[in-house]
Each structure stands twice: as structure tokens, then as C-alpha cells.
Amino acid sequence: MDFVCSSCDAVIPASPRAWRCASCGGVLDVARHAPFAPDLIEARDPSLWRYGAMIGLPEGAARVSLGEGMTPLVTVNLGGTRVHFKLEYLAPTGAFKDRGTTILVTALKAWGVARAADDSSGNAGASFAAYAARAGIAAEVFAPAHASPAKLAQIEIYGATLNRIEGVRAKTTEALEAATATGLVYASHAWSPFTLEGTKTVAYELWEQLSGRMTAPGEALAGDGAPDYFVSPIGQGSLFLGAYRGFKDLAAAGLIGRLPRMIGVQSAGCPPIVEAVRKGLDRAANIETRPSVAEGIALARPLRDREILRAIRETGGDAIAVSDDEILAARGALARMGLYVEPTSAVVAAALLRIRLQGTIVAALTGSGLKSPA
Ligand SMILES: [Zn+2]
């Protein structure tokens, strides 16, 4: 299989060492994009691997799975607005990251990688540690020393080597990039082309759940299974972009008539995409970051900023910044409906309480409250 550069279109043979474009340093994608086909869904598999035929992986790869995907869709009244929450925090490690990690670690295992590392503010590191343990791969995780103690403890209990890095989030990536010079495979969830191969399945599931193919009580739509809005937090934007790509696949297959409006939410302390939308830029805006309770999306420059902004423009979407006060209030409101999420995940509810959308709204709740106890 091959990777293709998202910036300069260079085609690069896929390998564990090819984590960015050798020519221009751009982010890579899986080159062969399998079309979505309902006939290829393995309907008896209750995990995201039911879409395995539509996921780009090295030939003959044996699946490394912990039963991820097929998360529930729960409908609530949020301050007068009907919202379908996709409970991504019910993943095996308590965060949506498992969608990408199951694909990434499956590829590493197929390539015979024995030792690999990821850098993370917490959730992706915990996910990587868990799947590496499942695959028998030695994992190293580079995380900011100030990350949530529950997340750091989770990384370590899976048996990964945890490197706590002092300073801002970018220092963590720098430390890891230096370590790869010693032969460690850099299995970055942010850089890896396999991450979006996994996260795109969230759109496939929503289509099955909302179109009546797989209908939970009270959730079937009269239409074709595409919501009017898809709302998610944006740090690197891996769930946001995965959903965008997945909905595009469904549209290309003629299964949905139009793409949902893609709404990304950031914290007011770190809003590079919100600022870019406001200023009409096609790259993330340069911003001054301030501390926020939404630690998981405190990222000044997403790697795939161009595609995030394209997704927002193409779908008539938007990006919204919410304050820490709004985030904590929304987290409490969700909990009083039985939905316990971390502050980073509550940003979507904070945004919905402010902007009052009309139509069918799906919002992703990405990380468990147990990761960052109140
Ligand atoms: Zn390139």
C-alpha cells in the first residue's frame, strides 16, 4: 500500500518510518481510498470493524481490537434543543481515540513493529498504551507533565513507559521527535494516516443508526440518515475530519443527499480555527494561547488545519469558541442528564446552549468524566 502527501501529492510507500512527507514535511493520507458500500458491512460484527472492508490497511493485517466503535446514540433535551449525543466516551479506554488507534496498531503489528511511541495530552496516549498492550508491542508515551493525573495513571497501568515532559504541549512532540533518532518508531495518532481511516467510521455508524438500518428507540429519522449538523470538539480535529470524510464517502455512494454542516468547537483560551474562520483564512490563525479546562484541545496549530477549514466552508459549517465558565456549566448540565464527560468534551454542549441550532443535531461526547474527575 501507499501513502499520499496531503500537501504536495507525493506518493510514498507505506512503512512504519514514513510518518510525514519526505519531500515537503506534509501530513500523509492512505492513497487508495475504498468507496463505501453497504453490501460490504459485516453486519454481525458489533464493532467498527464491521466496516473493515472499507478501511485502508497493509495487506493481510490481523485486526488488533478491543471491541471499539458502535457507540450508543442518546437523544436528550438540552436547554430546549433536541440533541442526539454520540457517546464516544464509552470506548474501551474511555475516549474516541480508540477508533483511530485500533487501525494504527493493527498496521504496526502487521509490519512487525516491536517498539513504538506516541505523544499525547493524555487520551491518545492511554489509547495507544492499551492497544499496544493488546498487540504485544512495547509502548512509550510522551505526555505533558501537567496532563490529568488520571490519564497519566491510565497510560502507566497498561504497561507503557511514560515520559513526563515539562513545558507547553509542543515540547512533548519535540522530545519524541528527538527520541525517534534512536530507532523508536514514531506512531503518532496526530500524524498517522490510519487515524482518520478509523475515525471516519463514526459517520458510517451514524448513517446506520439514523437511517433506520440500526435504530435505537426514538432515534430514526424520516430522511436519509444524515443529520443537519455534526458538532465535535477540535484539537487536531481527528474526529471532526474523520466524520467529514465518512459523510463524504456516504454522499459519494449516493446514500445521503448532502453533507451535514460541520461545527467545530474550541476553547476561548485556544481558538486557532475559530479565529481563522472569523478572518476568512485557509490556515489556522496565529493565536496567543491561555490555559483552559479543555486540556485535550489546547493545541495552537492542528496539523490538518487546511482540511478542517475546507470542511467548514464546504458544508456551510462554523467554528465556535466557548469560555471555561460555559464549559463547566455545560459539563454539569450533561451530568444531570446522566452523561459524565471530561471538560474538553463538554465544549459541544456549551456551544449548543449558546447558538441554538434548528434541525437534526448530532454532537460527539468524546471523553469520559472519569478521566478528569470534578
Ligand atoms: Zn509533501
Side-chain angles (χ1 to χ4, degrees):
M1 73 180 296
D2 291 323
F3 293 152
V4 61
C5 176
S6 63
S7 296
C8 75
D9 296 328
V11 175
I12 295 164
S15 87
R17 299 275 167 203
W19 62 272
R20 68 179 164 192
C21 176
S23 308
C24 78
V27 197
L28 300 174
D29 284 319
V30 170
R32 187 191 67 85
H33 190 71
F36 184 86
D39 292 352
L40 295 180
I41 298 173
E42 297 164 39
R44 286 186 191 165
D45 187 336
S47 80
L48 63 76
W49 286 100
R50 66 203 276 105
Y51 311 112
M54 294 161 256
I55 292 170
L57 275 168
E59 189 116 357
R63 298 169 181 183
V64 178
S65 175
L66 292 165
E68 56 290 317
M70 291 313 287
T71 53
L73 195 62
V74 171
T75 307
V76 304
N77 178 332
L78 181 73
T81 304
R82 189 165 186 258
V83 180
H84 307 276
F85 280 117
K86 184 76 167 145
L87 305 193
E88 290 294 284
Y89 67 90
L90 296 182
T93 73
F96 81 94
K97 304 282 185 183
D98 295 344
R99 285 189 190 276
T101 314
T102 184
I103 313 299
L104 168 60
V105 174
T106 291
L108 296 177
K109 185 73 178 170
W111 281 325
V113 170
R115 185 169 159 257
D118 192 4
D119 58 316
S120 165
S121 67
N123 284 339
S127 180
F128 181 67
Y131 282 83
R134 174 78 166 143
I137 293 172
E140 285 203 32
V141 176
F142 290 68
H146 58 76
S148 158
K151 293 179 186 176
L152 297 178
Q154 189 183 6
I155 289 166
E156 287 193 298
I157 201 160
Y158 289 128
T161 302
L162 176 63
N163 299 287
R164 289 182 170 82
I165 309 298
E166 299 291 342
V168 297
R169 174 70 180 78
K171 294 277 181 210
T172 305
T173 303
E174 287 168 23
L176 175 51
E177 287 180 13
T180 59
T182 69
L184 194 62
V185 166
Y186 183 22
S188 164
H189 66 282
W191 282 94
S192 174
F194 294 114
T195 300
L196 296 182
E197 285 296 294
T199 55
K200 72 183 183 185
T201 59
V202 76
Y204 300 169
E205 287 175 24
L206 285 166
W207 174 71
E208 286 204 77
Q209 289 173 314
L210 290 170
S211 68
R213 285 177 67 95
M214 182 179 292
T215 307
E219 286 158 5
L221 293 184
D224 57 15
D228 295 310
Y229 295 93
F230 179 85
V231 188
S232 84
I234 292 184
Q236 286 290 5
S238 61
L239 189 67
F240 184 85
L241 285 179
Y244 167 66
R245 290 187 181 188
F247 285 121
K248 284 187 77 115
D249 292 346
L250 293 162
L255 296 166
I256 61 173
R258 47 160 181 66
L259 302 178
R261 291 173 183 243
M262 301 293 296
I263 310 284
V265 190
Q266 301 195 301
S267 74
C270 188
I273 297 299
V274 176
E275 284 296 300
V277 169
R278 194 175 64 79
K279 294 175 177 164
L281 309 175
D282 63 1
R283 302 296 307 261
N286 289 315
I287 52 155
E288 298 259 337
T289 62
R290 284 175 285 116
S292 166
V293 293
E295 59 170 8
I297 50 171
L299 186 82
R301 184 157 285 279
L303 291 172
R304 297 182 186 271
D305 55 347
R306 276 198 199 92
E307 188 178 351
I308 292 169
L309 289 161
R310 196 161 63 237
I312 291 170
R313 275 197 309 273
E314 181 186 334
T315 64
D318 203 354
I320 293 153
V322 289
S323 70
D324 277 9
D325 285 348
E326 288 177 298
I327 294 167
L328 294 173
R331 184 200 207 197
L334 287 169
R336 287 188 293 279
M337 293 185 291
L339 304 168
Y340 185 34
V341 301
E342 62 176 314
T344 300
S345 308
V347 298
V348 294
L352 289 170
L353 284 166
R354 167 125 58 80
I355 61 176
R356 303 290 173 181
L357 300 174
Q358 305 273 338
T360 306
I361 303 158
V362 168
L365 293 177
T366 50
S368 169
L370 298 173
K371 298 236 186 201
S372 181

